[in-house]
Amino acid sequence: MVVNACCHRAYSIKGTDIQIKMFDDRIVFENPGRLPGMVRPTNIRNTHFSRNPKIAAFLKTYHYVKEYGEGVDRMCRELIANGVAEPKYHTDDFILKITVPRVTEKSTRVTEKEKKLPEKLPEKLPENRICLIDKIIEKSKSSGDKLTENRIAILKLMLEDPYISKSEIATVLGLSYTAVGSNINVMRGKYLRRVGSDKGGFWEVICD
């Protein structure tokens, strides 16, 4: 949040600076300047507009940011992973205020080392996810594609845990890492896509 605020601050506004206010139940970031360009609270996760492109380029060169335009979406994913609601955005005159709820003890993030792998493929997915799998199978039949049992199992694991890694999938299904990668490559762009970087991103299963 701090890096993002420094990157998108309206430096033409004088007499005030970025402020971080900590409360018992939230943190509020106050940044001089309104949301830039076409960016709105409703589309801020996937709409990119660089108010200060030279600062953005500097931050990326020195690895303060991973990819242009992914900062807000990555922050939201991290908060959701912690069981916390997304930040709220509010403009007060010329100050953009971002309110981030506090992470409670009940919503502490599980680290990669602490994360427990499922012992086997989930036998029962929520009904909406089952419908999605059924739609994907129907789509594959109409397209003449072949969705093997392994590929369907990979999609189910990704629906169960979008942040699951290839090595974790291989462990659960008893496949080699190479076999998992090959199956994913066949389905990529048709039935799934990677959102974000290989390290910090997640899988999104698609059927359209």
Side-chain angles (χ1 to χ4, degrees):
M1 289 295 296
V2 175
V3 172
N4 191 269
C6 292
C7 184
H8 296 293
R9 184 201 195 287
Y11 288 94
S12 59
I13 298 175
K14 309 296 183 182
T16 186
D17 288 304
I18 298 169
Q19 297 186 45
I20 304 172
K21 299 180 179 180
M22 301 181 68
F23 300 91
D24 290 340
D25 61 342
R26 68 195 185 282
I27 299 177
V28 179
F29 294 81
E30 297 186 358
N31 202 16
R34 298 173 179 272
L35 288 171
M38 300 298 293
V39 180
R40 300 290 181 271
T42 54
N43 65 11
I44 194 169
R45 288 188 63 169
N46 49 34
T47 301
H48 174 57
F49 185 94
S50 182
R51 192 200 302 272
N52 304 300
K54 290 184 178 180
I55 295 177
F58 174 89
L59 291 171
K60 187 173 188 300
T61 299
Y62 288 93
H63 308 293
Y64 285 95
V65 298
K66 292 182 179 180
E67 298 291 340
Y68 293 130
E70 74 150 6
V72 173
D73 185 56
R74 184 153 53 91
M75 287 186 291
C76 290
R77 294 201 310 267
E78 290 291 332
L79 288 170
I80 292 170
N82 281 313
V84 179
E86 295 182 19
K88 293 182 179 179
Y89 300 85
H90 170 69
T91 302
D92 188 359
D93 291 330
F94 57 88
I95 300 293
L96 176 64
K97 296 183 177 181
I98 306 103
T99 302
V100 182
R102 184 173 70 91
V103 178
T104 64
E105 292 182 2
K106 292 183 180 180
S107 59
T108 305
R109 187 182 178 211
V110 177
T111 64
E112 285 298 320
K113 290 183 179 180
E114 294 171 336
K115 181 179 177 182
K116 293 183 179 179
L117 290 175
E119 294 180 359
K120 59 181 180 178
L121 184 68
E123 295 179 0
K124 188 173 182 181
L125 288 170
E127 188 174 344
N128 61 331
R129 297 181 188 177
I130 294 174
C131 291
L132 187 58
I133 289 292
D134 290 341
K135 287 181 180 178
I136 290 172
I137 293 172
E138 288 300 318
K139 177 185 174 181
S140 69
K141 289 179 179 177
S142 62
S143 302
D145 293 334
K146 184 179 180 181
L147 274 183
T148 63
E149 290 185 6
N150 283 338
R151 290 170 189 170
I152 293 172
I154 289 171
L155 293 174
K156 286 182 177 180
L157 284 173
M158 289 176 175
L159 283 171
E160 181 73 13
D161 179 9
Y163 293 90
I164 194 168
S165 67
K166 293 180 185 178
S167 59
E168 291 171 342
I169 293 173
T171 300
V172 174
L173 299 182
L175 300 173
S176 69
Y177 182 88
T178 302
V180 171
S182 297
N183 280 294
I184 287 175
N185 288 336
V186 170
M187 296 189 289
R188 195 186 292 265
K190 291 182 179 181
Y191 308 108
L192 63 89
R193 56 174 163 252
R194 185 72 180 176
V195 180
S197 65
D198 288 341
K199 215 170 194 181
F202 61 92
W203 300 105
E204 183 178 3
V205 176
I206 54 178
C207 66
D208 297 328

